[in-house]
Amino acid sequence: MKVDESVKRKDWPMFRHDLWNTGVQPDIGHAEVSKYELLWKKDIGEVWSSPVVADVNGDGKLEIIVPNISMVKGEGMSYILDQNGRVISTYDVFGKEYVAPVIADINNDGRMEIIQFERNTLHMLDSLGKGIWNYPKDNKFGEFVCVSPVVADINGDGLMECIYMSGDQDHYDTRVLSNKGKEIWKYKNFPNKSKNFHAFVFPAFSPAIADINNDGKMEIIIGEDYDLYVFDYKGNVLWNYHTGDRIISSPIIMDINNDGKLEIIFCSCDMKYYVLNNSGTKLWDYEIPADPNSCIGSINAAPIVADINNDGKMEIIGDGGNGSIVALDYLGNELWKYNNKDMIMASSPAAADLNNDGKLEMVFISNNGITAILNSEGKCIWEHDFRPWPGIDGSAFVSSPAIVDINNDGILEILFGCPLGFYVYGIKNKRGSKNE
């Protein structure tokens, strides 16, 4: 089975890192995790979106793109930052930005473009944030977008397509656009059972793109209301799987049982994790207890699916309910639980081998401001508590972290946004901050 090339990237150009939504950084860090500290922060207003990181302008260095939703700092302002947090440029897409953009050379011109939403319009921008095209052209979409777009060549023609979902109180639309912003196809009129599209603003999620059936063409996998849908590249529904509640997190694609075939792992607000085979048959599910004290009351965050302990088998690690994080083996058996009753999970975690021990560490950010790093055995090896913080009504820590060596010093930095701005954690060198 061939692993998608995006999974191997050492930058973080899209939400959840890659087209399979793994949330795993393949690069290896050389840090003593207990010494992680704040390297720099940027006061750019409230940030709900997850950051994306890539060499945007072709200078051989990584840049960071962070949109905000702040009324104070400029509603809908996006910032392009260098590795030290200096502002390279800003651009305004004229609306609160809840979801992560994606960085890709979508038009094959050898330069990176930025594909980003503002509420109901998709913008394609150059490396400085100057508009190239937007869809729809009249900016009168009437639908709300809270799904991070993805870019991939789904039909094998050598050209990139843009895939995303939008909706309103009555329906959902999955759309595929060409690299010039022309609609290729749309799947419309999903029944919106919840009648509350805005409820899945936080956290945002993204579709997965993978050749799950080994036909040589990409499929699109995305949650729509109560169902997980799989589309072929032409927009035909191959199959769908019904759950007991809304699906508002990213599906993950992975061969978890070493059978040479890809499985789909996702969670639903019915408080269950699901594992399906590539034809839509359920292999198993795992139910977590509802948290009566949670303001969320459902599973909102996609888990990590990876071989975290280097035993040759995949594990699934995510929200375990009631302030816990649970690790499951590839058959759905519980391996361990980390309990912290103060943690309310709302953002998807990220993982990487931060300390070159051959095992993955996992970064979790709680809705109320607790940031924790767990090792492969479920032990908390680093924690920072932002409480008390000057919360604003409706504000929360919902930005999923990115893990990237932003300055090529061998240390994997942890980047995330929050109601207080944008933060980068890492380890300072002997000369002081490595960002000086």
Side-chain angles (χ1 to χ4, degrees):
M1 181 196 66
K2 184 179 179 181
V3 175
D4 189 83
E5 289 300 314
S6 67
V7 175
K8 304 174 185 179
R9 293 184 62 153
K10 294 184 179 181
D11 53 4
W12 202 281
M14 66 189 83
F15 183 64
R16 297 287 288 167
H17 180 264
D18 52 68
L19 293 175
W20 287 8
N21 287 323
T22 66
V24 176
Q25 168 61 257
D27 200 5
I28 296 174
H30 300 81
E32 188 175 343
V33 177
S34 63
K35 293 185 177 180
Y36 268 87
E37 59 188 317
L38 179 66
L39 294 184
W40 53 267
K41 63 180 179 180
K42 201 70 178 178
D43 181 14
I44 58 174
E46 187 173 359
V47 177
W48 283 27
S49 166
S50 299
V52 291
V53 183
D55 182 2
V56 179
N57 55 18
D59 65 352
K61 300 178 181 179
L62 294 176
E63 287 79 41
I64 306 160
I65 300 181
V66 189
N68 77 4
I69 65 166
S70 174
M71 295 293 289
V72 177
K73 291 290 178 180
E75 182 178 347
M77 188 67 71
S78 291
Y79 293 78
I80 302 178
L81 308 175
D82 70 11
Q83 62 188 21
N84 305 309
R86 300 183 184 95
V87 177
I88 297 173
S89 64
T90 62
Y91 57 92
D92 193 345
V93 292
F94 308 106
K96 291 184 178 181
E97 183 52 70
Y98 295 98
V99 302
V102 58
I103 304 170
D105 179 9
I106 189 171
N107 57 9
N108 291 333
D109 64 353
R111 296 187 295 268
M112 290 295 182
E113 286 80 39
I114 304 164
I115 298 91
Q116 183 165 339
F117 276 108
E118 55 85 11
R119 282 191 176 268
N120 55 17
T121 303
L122 180 68
H123 298 266
M124 177 172 157
L125 312 139
D126 66 16
S127 61
L128 293 175
K130 181 180 178 181
I132 299 174
W133 55 255
N134 58 274
Y135 178 87
K137 290 183 178 181
D138 57 10
N139 289 316
K140 294 180 180 179
F141 206 30
E143 300 175 349
F144 195 81
V145 177
C146 280
V147 175
S148 292
V150 294
V151 173
D153 179 8
I154 62 171
N155 56 13
D157 65 353
L159 302 174
M160 293 287 189
E161 288 79 39
C162 181
I163 305 99
Y164 69 97
M165 188 185 77
S166 62
D168 59 21
Q169 296 297 320
D170 298 309
H171 71 278
Y172 296 87
D173 287 346
T174 295
R175 278 184 169 88
V176 174
L177 306 183
S178 74
N179 62 1
K180 298 184 183 298
K182 306 293 185 182
E183 184 179 292
I184 298 174
W185 60 260
K186 174 178 68 175
Y187 188 85
K188 191 176 177 64
N189 292 328
F190 293 110
N192 188 346
K193 299 182 179 66
S194 66
K195 294 294 181 182
N196 190 6
F197 186 90
H198 195 80
F200 83 125
V201 165
F202 96 98
F205 61 100
S206 60
I209 309 294
D211 180 9
I212 62 170
N213 56 11
N214 293 321
D215 66 350
K217 303 289 184 181
M218 293 292 189
E219 285 77 47
I220 300 167
I221 306 97
I222 190 168
E224 301 278 6
D225 214 42
Y226 285 48
D227 290 77
L228 184 85
Y229 281 82
V230 175
F231 299 93
D232 70 13
Y233 71 97
K234 295 181 179 179
N236 302 305
V237 176
L238 299 182
W239 53 264
N240 62 288
Y241 184 88
H242 188 71
T243 73
D245 207 329
R246 292 173 300 142
I247 301 170
I248 55 176
S249 63
S250 303
I252 300 105
I253 310 301
M254 191 66 63
D255 179 7
I256 68 166
N257 54 13
N258 292 327
D259 66 350
K261 300 177 182 179
L262 293 174
E263 286 78 43
I264 302 167
I265 304 95
F266 68 101
C267 52
S268 167
C269 291
D270 62 7
M271 307 304 290
K272 290 181 180 179
Y273 290 101
Y274 292 87
V275 176
L276 311 181
N277 69 13
N278 61 4
S279 60
T281 300
K282 184 178 75 174
L283 300 182
W284 55 265
D285 62 39
Y286 176 88
E287 186 170 7
I288 71 171
D291 185 352
N293 299 314
S294 172
C295 63
I296 303 171
S298 59
I299 311 177
N300 290 260
I304 290 291
V305 181
D307 180 7
I308 62 170
N309 55 11
N310 203 25
D311 66 351
K313 300 175 182 177
M314 293 291 174
E315 290 80 39
I316 299 170
I317 308 93
D319 187 356
N322 295 320
S324 70
I325 295 167
V326 66
L328 309 173
D329 69 13
Y330 71 99
L331 295 173
N333 301 306
E334 188 175 308
L335 298 176
W336 51 257
K337 264 191 176 183
Y338 168 76
N339 291 289
N340 183 335
K341 61 181 179 59
D342 292 331
M343 293 189 75
I344 303 169
M345 299 311 304
S347 68
S348 298
D353 183 355
L354 299 175
N355 55 9
N356 195 25
D357 67 349
K359 301 176 182 179
L360 294 181
E361 287 73 43
M362 296 154 286
V363 181
F364 290 85
I365 300 177
S366 173
N367 174 264
N368 56 353
I370 301 173
T371 303
I373 300 177
L374 305 187
N375 67 12
S376 61
E377 287 78 40
K379 178 183 178 181
C380 182
I381 55 178
W382 182 90
E383 181 180 283
H384 180 79
D385 194 342
F386 281 89
R387 299 174 301 172
W389 52 277
I392 307 168
D393 288 344
S395 297
F397 284 67
V398 296
S399 170
S400 294
I403 303 175
V404 186
D405 181 0
I406 58 174
N407 54 11
N408 199 31
D409 68 346
I411 303 294
L412 292 174
E413 283 77 41
I414 300 168
L415 307 83
F416 60 92
C418 69
L420 307 176
F422 182 69
Y423 285 72
V424 175
Y425 278 78
I427 294 178
K428 295 177 181 178
N429 61 29
K430 294 179 180 179
R431 296 171 293 157
S433 173
K434 62 185 178 181
N435 293 296
E436 292 177 349

